[in-house]
Each structure stands twice: as structure tokens, then as C-alpha cells.
């Protein structure tokens, strides 16, 4: 499967723990985007990254959330000291070119995060 | 701030009963309108990109059209396997020069009965 790969598919954490979500983009794609889908809400943009650079983090909460896309390896969305309100589905998407190019974003199947 | 509103929230059709889904948008400089299909427990699957008013795209039983204020997803003679949530999203100049952000609507849940 050459699609966007996210893992784990399901993640359970207790309040106060850390959650790490991983995303491997499609082969040949160098741009990664993270979205969050809260229950009964639509997909909300969080952050846009290229290799080793954060391009747009306007949708990221100011505290506890961080994202990276290192030169080697997958993109990581990290949530520190999780709270119940962080329970959601987190989706990663990738594209081959910059956001303004004629390239759609292709999505993975998400990580369902549950906070106990 | 970009806004996307989809209607209806839910649509139930009989197999073969054609219909349309609506996506109304307000953006500062449209740089693309995207339609996705999402099945339960899955990520959105890309269907179409539209860039300018008057543009149309077709794929099997689906046809997407675009005006300056809205887009329609027409479904002709739907089958039960077309049942899914259909999402509309826009990319605009509001995101500065990065143009990475997509703003999504709430989606339309389509159910096609045999």
C-alpha cells in the first residue's frame, strides 16, 4: 500500500500522559498536514510541515501540542499532558508539492485517540 | 476567515434516485475547492479539485460543478456502495503564502438504500 500510513490506529492514554502519533507520507511526497476531527465536528487544520520545517502552525493549540517532520523518518504529532478534550481522530495528509500547487492532499486513515 | 457550509446534513436516497449535494463557501481568493468521500473509520478519499467558476469534473456516477459561491456534487443513479460522508473543502489566499490549509465543511451523510 503506497498510501499515507498512520500509526497507531488506536491509542489510549490516561490524563497527564503523552501521546505520539506518527505519519509516513505517500512515496514521493515531501509535504505533510495534520488535521483533527472532534466528535460531531468537521476536520480542522492543525499544522503544515515540510522536511525539517514548520510552514504553517496556525491551527495548533498554543500549549502541549507540537509537530515535527525530520529529515529521516515519519512526521510526529506530539501531545503532552493529555486531557479528556484531546480525544479525537487525528488525520495526516500529504502532497508532493507546496500547498499552493495544483496538488490535492491525500489522507491516511487516522489515529483515534482516547483519553481515560 | 474562510467558511464552508454543506447541505443537507444527511440525505437518504433509493438506489437509482439521482440528487445533488451542496457546498456553499465564503473565501478571500479561492485557490481550489476539493471534494472528498469518507467511509466510517477511514480517512477522506480525494474525488475532485475545481479551480474556477464554470468548471466541471466527472467520475463514474459523480459530477462536481463550481460557481463563484457554491459547488454541487451531482450523483446520478446512485448505488448502495455510494453511501458515505461527502466532504467539501476550500484552499484560499487567507492562509498567507503557504496555502497549505484546507477548510472543511461538516459533510453530508449519504445513504443509498437498495
Amino acid at each position: 500500500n503506497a498510501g499515507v500510513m498512520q500509526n497507531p490506529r488506536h491509542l489510549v492514554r490516561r490524563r497527564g500522559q503523552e501521546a505520539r502519533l506518527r505519519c509516513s507520507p505517500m512515496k514521493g511526497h515531501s509535504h505533510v498536514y495534520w488535521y483533527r476531527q472532534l466528535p460531531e465536528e468537521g476536520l480542522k487544520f492543525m499544522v503544515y510541515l515540510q522536511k525539517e520545517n514548520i510552514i504553517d502552525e496556525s491551527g495548533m493549540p498554543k500549549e502541549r501540542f507540537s509537530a515535527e517532520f525530520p529529515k529521516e523518518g515519519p512526521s510526529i504529532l506530539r501531545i503532552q499532558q493529555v486531557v479528556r478534550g484531546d480525544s479525537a481522530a487525528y488525520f495526516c495528509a500529504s502532497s508532493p508539492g507546496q500547498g499552493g500547487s495544483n496538488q490535492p492532499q491525500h489522507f491516511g486513515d487516522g489515529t483515534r485517540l482516547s483519553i481515560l | 476567515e474562510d467558511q464552508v457550509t454543506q447541505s443537507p446534513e444527511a440525505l437518504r436516497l433509493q438506489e437509482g434516485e439521482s440528487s445533488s449535494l451542496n457546498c456553499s463557501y465564503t473565501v478571500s481568493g479561492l485557490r481550489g475547492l476539493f471534494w472528498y468521500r469518507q467511509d466510517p473509520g477511514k480517512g477522506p478519499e480525494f474525488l475532485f479539485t475545481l479551480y474556477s467558476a464554470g468548471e466541471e469534473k466527472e467520475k463514474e456516477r459523480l459530477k462536481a460543478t463550481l460557481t463563484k459561491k457554491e459547488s454541487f456534487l451531482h450523483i446520478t443513479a446512485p448505488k448502495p456502495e455510494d453511501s458515505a460522508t461527502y466532504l467539501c473543502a476550500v484552499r484560499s489566499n487567507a492562509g498567507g503564502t503557504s496555502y497549505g490549509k484546507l477548510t472543511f465543511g461538516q459533510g453530508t451523510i449519504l445513504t443509498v438504500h437498495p
Side-chain angles (χ1 to χ4, degrees):
Chain A
N1 187 346
V4 177
M5 302 301 294
Q6 291 188 246
N7 67 82
R9 290 296 313 278
H10 301 274
L11 182 61
V12 180
R13 286 286 178 265
R14 296 187 180 280
R15 282 178 293 172
Q17 291 184 321
E18 178 179 290
R20 283 183 175 239
L21 287 61
R22 295 175 180 76
C23 170
S24 296
M26 287 179 70
K27 189 174 182 180
H29 288 193
S30 59
H31 298 247
V32 165
Y33 316 82
W34 285 93
Y35 292 81
R36 178 165 64 175
Q37 190 170 40
L38 292 166
E40 308 304 322
E41 293 189 20
L43 281 158
K44 302 292 186 187
F45 169 81
M46 298 182 76
V47 63
Y48 165 28
L49 310 104
Q50 295 177 26
K51 286 284 188 180
E52 301 185 284
N53 284 302
I54 296 175
I55 307 302
D56 180 357
E57 56 181 350
S58 59
M60 287 279 271
K62 299 299 182 188
E63 298 178 347
R64 304 187 297 109
F65 285 72
S66 62
E68 63 177 5
F69 189 17
K71 187 176 180 180
E72 301 291 336
S75 176
I76 306 288
L77 179 67
R78 181 184 179 201
I79 311 172
Q80 296 179 288
Q81 299 177 322
V82 297
V83 300
R84 288 252 172 88
D86 297 332
S87 295
Y90 292 83
F91 290 95
C92 170
S94 71
S95 69
Q98 70 174 46
S101 68
N102 293 346
Q103 302 289 347
Q105 296 175 16
H106 295 272
F107 284 78
D109 284 337
T111 293
R112 271 78 182 165
L113 176 64
S114 297
I115 309 302
L116 301 180
Chain B
E1 186 175 324
D2 298 342
Q3 291 190 341
V4 179
T5 303
Q6 292 188 244
S7 62
E9 290 185 11
L11 181 61
R12 301 168 73 92
L13 300 174
Q14 289 297 127
E15 185 172 3
E17 179 186 3
S18 301
S19 188
S20 296
L21 282 55
N22 177 264
C23 171
S24 298
Y25 62 91
T26 304
V27 299
S28 56
L30 182 70
R31 298 185 66 90
L33 184 141
F34 303 84
W35 282 99
Y36 287 85
R37 168 191 171 130
Q38 187 175 23
D39 292 300
K42 299 287 189 179
E45 175 189 347
F46 171 71
L47 294 174
F48 303 110
T49 309
L50 301 166
Y51 290 100
S52 56
E55 190 175 358
E56 300 182 352
K57 294 274 180 74
E58 280 190 75
K59 179 181 178 181
E60 296 181 355
R61 295 177 293 281
L62 300 177
K63 179 180 176 180
T65 62
L66 181 66
T67 72
K68 289 187 177 180
K69 294 183 178 180
E70 57 191 351
S71 176
F72 292 93
L73 185 65
H74 306 278
I75 303 176
T76 302
K79 298 181 178 182
E81 52 261 43
D82 295 323
S83 297
T85 296
Y86 290 84
L87 301 171
C88 172
V90 297
R91 174 189 288 152
S92 76
N93 291 330
T97 57
S98 76
Y99 307 125
K101 174 182 177 180
L102 292 182
T103 299
F104 280 84
Q106 295 286 88
T108 293
I109 302 171
L110 175 66
T111 305
V112 182
H113 297 282

